[in-house]
Amino acid sequence: MAGIPARACLYTAALVTGGAFAILFTGETAGGGFGGNSVVALGGAFWAMLGAALAALLVGSAGRYRFVFLFPVAAFYTILAVYGRPPLFSISSWQEFLFTIGTDVYEAAGVMYAEPIPYDLAPGLFVLLIPVVMIVVTFATSATLYEESPIISVSVLGVTIGVLSTISFEDGAGIFFALFLACAVALLLSSGASPGRLGVVAGAVVVALVLALPRMPLSDATISPGLIDWTRIGTGGASRLDVQADVGDYLSAGRDAEIMRVESPEPLLWRGGTLDYFDGVRWSDTTEPGIQDGEEIAPGVPSRSVIQRVRILNAQTNLVFGGYKIINTSLPFATENSDGSWTIDEPLVENGYYTVYSEIPQPTSSQLQGAGTAYPPLVREKFLQLPDDRPAVVAETAEGIMRDYEPATPYEKARAVERYLIYDGGFTYNLDVSYRRADRAIEEFLGEGREGFCTQFATSMALLLRELDVPSRVVYGSTAGEEVEPDEFVVTGSNMHTWVEAYFPGVGWYTFDPTPGFSVPSAMEANAPRPEVPVTRQDVAIGDLARDGRARAEQEEARRTEETPQSEGSAPSGAGLPVWPLLLFAPVLLGVVSLAKRALLARGRPEDLYRDLVSRMRDVLPPGRAGIADSPALTPTERLLLLAGAVGLEEGPVGEFARAYSDHLYAAPPAGGRSSRHLRSAYRRAKRAFERLPLWRRALGAANPSSLLARAKRGASALGARLGKAARARLRFRR
């Protein structure tokens, strides 16, 4: 029989394990069903689960009758925790009560399948989970107290917390795991248990079960994890895109993970596959081999042939990535699916390579405008599908777009939705956003949230297009990546991306990217590019705001001067303070700031030239107006032109540099380095235009550290994300 210290450690570890089940719940109640005097109604999920663990500890400590007591006590506590006091002597009341329990359990099974973790509080979920807690804790308690096997207890409780951590993607599980780990070590030490062969086997079982759970055959059919990251298609995990799917593993903490290397004469979007069915919570892929989801490229539509050679780096995938549309590949057993994507049975691993031959559709604007609405029956049925219980905000937003933009054709509708999400709707690109409720993510995003990353933007555009009777599908893959050698691109985690394709009869599927700060490479929309943002109108507005700001500042200064008159003979307000430190500090500050800005320009890379020009214009703006340069909802071209208009620069030289820089980002450079020379020449001309500003404005801008502080803030945020990733990785390793 275990001593008091061992019992204390065991009981604490068991209570921690029971409490850990609370991470499966949001804290919000889904409808009614709970008794007014029930444990859940009074204390929520945590206290209900903690009470279950406490009841199980009492049962597990009950000697030879422990397993006899287990099931009646579990049934009684479950009823008490969920429904409160049960009916006593009325047979009809018991019949009705049992029918209610059965209905709640049936609904809970549907919730566990259809909704991702965390769940709202629902009675049936507790009816299913409380007995699990009691069985686990009773068995673990019995193993130490009566079988004298604390290693078995630690293994059972460890597997349980590990499973909870896995299916919730560690959201909230850390503190429970840390407390359990301390208690488990103390239990083993206080009981004098030696790991031995049994301990090694038990530890291996814990690790194997926790790691294998997400890949078990029935896992997808029985439970929906908290976050389903579509980018894990490249690392052997799930390929389903959730509305709340977080690409943060790559886009924030895993930005530097090298996924693949692509040799191509054109930078393209490297397409992996599509998602076409939306059930109100998540997207799924219903593609099949040998079926066509409408014409991918209709006859008569111009196209451009591009050959790419792809080498897999730090990834594992059964998808064939390439420019749309892939016509053929060197992989001998690759299968073409109905959406134009290709897959293979055996996944490619590190250093796997292949060649793809693509035809890039190049429809003209007139072809897209004249496409009409004669959609094939399969396209209409499959790609206009919407769930009946979709949020009302989708229809409301679609109606607003029709009212504000008055699009006359499906193509104009697509461009209107794209423009609304990128420019006019007040949306912000934000990697740190987290929509915990998958079934409410779109409602929050299109409603008051209005911030997110590519997942939210692509999902919203696809749904809005379907609401406007334009067939659409979500596409996952990556942007072109960084050109490290001529015609050679490295794709990292930061390039993982989603976008949208819309169907136009007589044309086929055409690409749109509604995420602020992103655009479709020019090679993919050569004959029908995205219309430019109406810069002129915004420039005038920003210029007016800047002038109004300066006028208000001058008026405020005059008002303060009038309100604080100096009495005759009185000393100035600053009398008694030495002036020489201020006179010394000003040139030192000017020198430090100027040297820092020059140091950032020293390498002379294209991105350094771009940042230098942005910083120059940003720093001469009045206080409070420089924020227009920080919005992530702007492409480099838009940012430069908006700043030029606000500052009052000649737009020609700035626009020339903006085009040259965009070509550097999205187009293959000409042979001989002409692109780099042209970029530098355009930079010098834009800089000369800036130098035409009055000397006093340029001097104030040179001393203004605003751009340096903004850059430092972004760097600190990125460093924090990397440190967080490293800390989580270290914690997982220690576990």
Side-chain angles (χ1 to χ4, degrees):
M1 181 73 70
I4 294 179
R7 280 177 174 259
C9 295
L10 171 67
Y11 290 168
T12 305
L15 291 174
V16 167
T17 303
F21 277 79
I23 67 177
L24 302 180
F25 298 93
T26 64
E28 300 179 16
T29 301
F34 293 103
N37 58 349
S38 66
V39 179
V40 177
L42 296 175
F46 175 77
W47 291 106
M49 293 304 182
L50 197 67
L54 181 59
L57 285 175
L58 296 176
V59 171
S61 305
R64 69 174 65 182
Y65 299 107
R66 56 190 180 279
F67 293 117
V68 175
F69 293 150
L70 172 59
F71 292 100
V73 171
F76 177 76
Y77 177 79
T78 300
I79 293 173
L80 187 67
V82 179
Y83 302 101
R85 189 178 63 184
L88 296 178
F89 304 110
S90 173
I91 296 178
S92 60
S93 297
W94 269 104
Q95 290 176 338
E96 182 179 352
F97 182 59
L98 293 175
F99 179 80
T100 300
I101 294 176
T103 302
D104 290 341
V105 170
Y106 179 79
E107 292 177 354
V111 168
M112 295 180 71
Y113 169 75
E115 295 185 13
I117 294 166
Y119 307 125
D120 284 344
L121 303 182
L125 293 173
F126 288 92
V127 173
L128 293 174
L129 293 176
I130 286 177
V132 173
V133 174
M134 297 193 67
I135 291 172
V136 167
V137 172
T138 299
F139 183 80
T141 305
S142 173
T144 294
L145 297 185
Y146 302 105
E147 284 75 26
E148 298 183 355
S149 299
I151 293 176
I152 298 297
S153 300
V154 169
S155 300
V156 170
L157 299 177
V159 166
T160 303
I161 292 187
V163 168
L164 294 173
S165 175
T166 300
I167 63 177
S168 67
F169 276 67
E170 302 182 8
D171 192 6
I175 185 171
F176 293 102
F177 206 106
L179 290 172
F180 162 76
L181 195 60
C183 294
V185 172
L187 172 62
L188 294 177
L189 293 177
S190 61
S191 64
S194 175
R197 182 177 300 177
L198 180 60
V200 173
V201 172
V205 169
V206 171
V207 174
L209 286 178
V210 171
L211 295 179
L213 178 74
R215 296 172 173 79
M216 289 183 178
L218 297 179
S219 60
D220 287 341
T222 55
I223 194 166
S224 297
L227 297 172
I228 302 176
D229 183 358
W230 69 264
T231 55
R232 292 187 182 276
I233 56 175
T235 54
S239 61
R240 181 179 295 171
L241 175 65
D242 196 298
V243 175
Q244 68 159 9
D246 183 8
V247 297
D249 277 356
Y250 288 106
L251 295 179
S252 57
R255 295 179 63 86
D256 298 329
E258 294 188 349
I259 308 301
M260 58 187 173
R261 184 179 290 255
V262 184
E263 296 180 24
S264 172
E266 298 284 359
L268 305 169
L269 293 173
W270 314 124
R271 187 177 187 265
T274 65
L275 301 157
D276 52 76
Y277 182 80
F278 184 69
D279 63 5
V281 177
R282 62 179 60 79
W283 287 96
S284 56
D285 176 6
T286 66
T287 58
E288 297 178 14
I291 300 176
Q292 191 176 60
D293 290 340
E295 293 177 309
E296 301 292 330
I297 307 177
V301 173
S303 63
R304 182 173 183 177
S305 301
V306 178
I307 296 177
Q308 307 116 74
R309 294 174 177 84
V310 181
R311 181 160 66 91
I312 303 300
L313 300 177
N314 184 24
Q316 182 179 357
T317 179
N318 63 346
L319 294 172
V320 180
F321 286 89
Y324 177 75
K325 173 182 184 281
I326 297 176
I327 303 299
N328 208 343
T329 175
S330 63
L331 294 168
F333 300 108
T335 302
E336 183 178 8
N337 301 308
S338 56
D339 63 344
S341 66
W342 291 66
T343 55
I344 54 177
D345 293 333
E346 293 296 328
L348 289 163
V349 296
E350 187 173 359
N351 291 322
Y353 62 91
Y354 55 89
T355 300
V356 293
Y357 172 76
S358 300
E359 286 289 337
I360 312 302
Q362 309 274 286
T364 64
S365 296
S366 59
Q367 287 177 316
L368 291 164
Q369 286 279 20
T373 59
Y375 305 121
L378 177 62
V379 171
R380 180 176 293 278
E381 176 185 357
K382 187 172 182 179
F383 298 102
L384 290 178
Q385 172 269 332
L386 284 169
D388 294 334
D389 58 349
R390 61 189 178 279
V393 70
V394 177
E396 293 169 359
T397 304
E399 292 173 2
I401 290 173
M402 290 296 295
R403 181 177 60 252
D404 295 340
Y405 298 95
E406 299 181 350
T409 66
Y411 177 64
E412 290 181 0
K413 291 179 182 179
R415 289 301 186 192
V417 173
E418 184 182 55
R419 173 174 164 176
Y420 173 76
L421 292 172
I422 295 175
Y423 304 118
D424 301 337
F427 294 89
T428 303
Y429 184 82
N430 182 5
L431 290 175
D432 296 327
V433 71
S434 176
Y435 292 103
R436 291 174 55 85
R437 287 291 308 276
D439 56 334
R440 296 182 184 173
I442 292 302
E443 184 177 1
E444 294 179 20
F445 177 73
L446 290 176
E448 296 181 358
R450 303 212 170 207
E451 60 178 358
F453 40 89
C454 55
T455 299
Q456 286 81 33
F457 285 98
T459 291
S460 297
M461 181 172 184
L463 296 180
L464 288 170
L465 287 179
R466 293 186 178 192
E467 192 73 40
L468 295 173
D469 293 325
V470 179
S472 62
R473 61 192 184 191
V474 173
V475 189
Y476 54 83
S478 77
T479 58
E482 180 185 0
E483 188 172 14
V484 293
E485 299 289 344
D487 299 340
E488 189 170 347
F489 304 86
V490 169
V491 176
T492 64
S494 63
N495 301 121
M496 293 291 102
H497 196 45
T498 55
W499 57 96
V500 174
E501 289 173 351
Y503 183 81
F504 302 98
V507 174
W509 292 93
Y510 196 64
T511 301
F512 298 86
D513 194 336
T515 303
F518 291 79
S519 60
V520 177
S522 57
M524 297 178 64
E525 55 174 20
N527 297 327
R530 176 197 294 174
E532 293 186 3
V533 63
V535 175
T536 303
R537 184 174 63 190
Q538 294 189 24
D539 285 347
V540 171
I542 292 173
D544 290 343
L545 287 173
R547 288 190 293 273
D548 291 345
R550 289 194 296 271
R552 285 195 297 271
E554 293 171 358
Q555 293 171 2
E556 181 68 16
E557 180 64 26
R559 185 183 62 80
R560 286 197 300 267
T561 303
E562 293 174 358
E563 291 177 354
T564 55
Q566 297 277 331
S567 60
E568 185 176 351
S570 64
S573 60
L577 295 176
V579 178
W580 65 266
L582 301 178
L583 298 177
L584 179 62
F585 179 73
V588 170
L589 175 63
L590 176 62
V592 170
V593 172
S594 299
L595 287 174
K597 292 180 179 180
R598 183 173 294 275
L600 294 175
L601 181 63
R603 288 182 289 181
R605 300 174 302 175
E607 52 268 31
D608 296 328
L609 303 180
Y610 165 73
R611 290 170 183 158
D612 176 70
L613 194 57
V614 168
S615 298
R616 286 174 184 268
M617 293 189 289
R618 185 189 194 282
D619 288 342
V620 299
L621 287 174
R625 301 301 176 195
I628 64 169
D630 300 331
S631 172
L634 296 173
T635 64
T637 297
E638 294 158 4
R639 181 174 287 109
L640 288 166
L641 292 177
L642 286 171
L643 282 170
V647 172
L649 294 187
E650 181 183 354
E651 291 186 5
V654 177
E656 180 186 1
F657 174 79
R659 289 190 294 274
Y661 185 64
S662 294
D663 290 341
H664 160 74
L665 291 177
Y666 303 119
R674 286 190 306 167
S675 175
S676 178
R677 291 195 298 271
H678 176 61
L679 182 66
R680 293 178 182 278
S681 299
Y683 166 76
R684 287 192 292 269
R685 285 189 285 273
K687 184 180 174 184
R688 284 197 294 270
F690 175 82
E691 291 171 349
R692 297 191 188 101
L693 292 175
L695 177 61
W696 67 270
R697 289 190 68 187
R698 288 185 282 124
L700 290 176
N704 185 0
S706 176
S707 62
L708 296 177
L709 295 175
R711 189 166 181 176
K713 182 179 178 180
R714 291 192 297 270
S717 177
L719 178 60
R722 289 196 295 270
L723 292 176
K725 177 70 173 179
R728 289 193 297 272
R730 183 173 298 177
L731 180 60
R732 286 194 294 267
F733 175 77
R734 289 179 176 177
R735 290 173 184 172

